[in-house]
Amino acid sequence: MAVYETILYEVSAGVARITMNRPDKYNAFTGKMIAEIIDAFRQAGKDAAARCIVLTGAGKAFNAGQDLGDVPGAGGAVGQDGAANHGDMLRSRYNPLIMQIRNTELPVIAAVNGVAAGAGMSLALACDMRVMSERAYFVSAFINIGLVPDSGGCYFLPRLVGLAKAIEIATIRDRVTAKEAHRIGLVNRVCSAERLDEEADELAAKLAQLPTRAIWLMKQTMNRGLEKGLAETLEQEAYAQEIAGRTQDHREGMQAFLEKRPPMFKGV
Ligand code: LHQ
């Protein structure tokens, strides 16, 4: 198993846990950390022992976005005037990170333990579900430094809360508390800080016992469905069902029903 410098990675009881681990910097992103998170998602996706991923942060924060002390010149993303070329930085680092998360064939839960700001907020929103500590909060942050929400912020936020609320959060709001995030549908569950790991693990354990291939097909179909019409989504469902219908887990589910016993899904 790969050894990482900026994250922790472990697989236990069907769940891969990825912990961003730069607590003194509020787990702010560096190029190295982004590369390591991408690698860990790939590892988990290939690991037959992993059927769900939990992404969280060490210490007080979930993730404070780009490390603002590490912007100019990073990763060769330097424009002709010597200033950091943010577009290239997004194309070479952040966009592949978000695409990797969305294309990992396992359900992904963000356990938002503390503040999630800038691209750290986008990162949490890119996950399939969010469990949030009542001490945590979201800060769009981009507008404070004259920038546009990136790393999928302009995609996920309006889809989750609607356009008007998304624009409000990305402009005039200092923060969105866990309580409000739950109320407006930004997060699935809120719990005490002390219970967060347990809450995320319980949810992950449930997901890890479900038919993993069907969840992946469902995720793809729903995500694509957000951009397509009914007819195309009906066809996508038929395609997904054709594949799901050939899995061992489908056979097991049918058999278990007929035998009046709980199913034992294996993720294949
Ligand atoms: C940090 C950071 C941080 C370094 C806290 N960096 N140290 C990427 C690249 C190119 C183009 C555009 O887009 C992007 C993506 C982005 O994410 S851009 C947005 C970047 N993020 C931000 O602008 C957020 C900056 N941070 C904050 O606003 C606050 O720190 C938050 C709201 C996160 C937390 O506030 P507090 O709880 O009051 O904590 P703090 O400000 O005291 O920070 C704690 C420590 O963490 C502190 O270090 P220190 O040594 O003084 O204790 C901060 O310097 C450090 N830290 N965020 N992004």
Side-chain angles (χ1 to χ4, degrees):
M1 187 175 291
V3 176
Y4 298 112
E5 284 173 28
T6 62
I7 63 169
L8 305 172
Y9 178 77
E10 59 172 341
V11 180
S12 168
V15 179
R17 178 173 276 261
I18 299 170
T19 306
M20 297 174 282
N21 193 28
R22 302 182 71 230
D24 52 326
K25 296 283 182 194
Y26 272 27
N27 301 317
F29 287 117
T30 58
K32 173 113 194 151
M33 192 163 93
I34 291 175
E36 291 192 341
I37 299 171
I38 291 175
D39 191 75
F41 269 85
R42 283 195 189 128
Q43 290 281 333
K46 284 190 292 189
D47 187 345
R51 289 174 55 194
C52 182
I53 298 174
V54 173
L55 176 65
T56 193
K60 281 170 72 178
F62 176 74
N63 181 302
Q66 168 64 32
D67 186 327
L68 296 178
D70 187 42
V71 177
V78 184
Q80 286 175 340
D81 59 358
N85 179 335
H86 294 343
D88 283 350
M89 204 170 192
L90 292 173
R91 287 181 200 103
S92 64
R93 296 181 176 181
Y94 287 85
N95 297 359
L97 169 67
I98 298 303
M99 292 310 287
Q100 176 62 51
I101 290 174
R102 299 299 272 185
N103 290 330
T104 298
E105 299 182 13
L106 297 174
V108 182
I109 301 168
V112 186
N113 53 303
V115 59
M121 175 173 175
S122 303
L123 177 76
L125 301 187
C127 298
D128 298 313
M129 290 191 212
R130 283 152 291 285
V131 179
M132 195 169 188
S133 153
E134 61 194 4
R135 277 195 215 146
Y137 56 98
F138 289 117
V139 184
S140 176
F142 294 97
I143 204 75
N144 301 335
I145 52 172
L147 293 179
V148 175
D150 62 31
S151 310
C154 287
Y155 179 92
F156 299 117
L157 197 54
R159 281 171 172 75
L160 286 163
V161 300
L163 192 54
K165 199 70 179 167
I167 291 175
E168 179 187 321
I169 290 170
T171 53
I172 57 171
R173 294 290 297 277
D174 287 342
R175 61 174 62 184
V176 179
T177 62
K179 198 173 168 193
E180 183 185 0
H182 190 234
R183 186 173 57 77
I184 64 179
L186 261 188
V187 298
N188 300 76
R189 294 181 187 179
V190 173
C191 61
S192 68
E194 295 70 33
R195 240 198 80 74
L196 183 71
D197 284 344
E198 217 176 320
E199 188 85 20
D201 285 346
E202 279 173 18
L203 184 56
K206 277 186 195 160
L207 287 164
Q209 282 165 21
L210 292 174
T212 311
R213 301 298 303 162
I215 297 178
W216 167 235
L217 290 161
M218 175 197 310
K219 273 170 58 169
Q220 281 183 308
T221 308
M222 286 189 180
N223 285 326
R224 289 180 191 166
L226 286 173
E227 278 134 53
K228 292 186 174 169
L230 176 61
E232 284 163 300
T233 304
L234 288 170
E235 178 45 40
Q236 178 78 26
E237 285 173 352
Y239 167 79
Q241 207 67 301
E242 192 176 320
I243 299 171
R246 291 193 196 116
T247 60
Q248 282 180 34
D249 281 344
H250 169 57
R251 277 201 296 279
E252 165 62 8
M254 298 285 282
Q255 211 169 328
F257 177 80
L258 296 173
E259 292 170 6
K260 299 190 185 303
R261 62 171 173 83
M264 285 286 291
F265 296 120
K266 295 204 168 74
V268 286

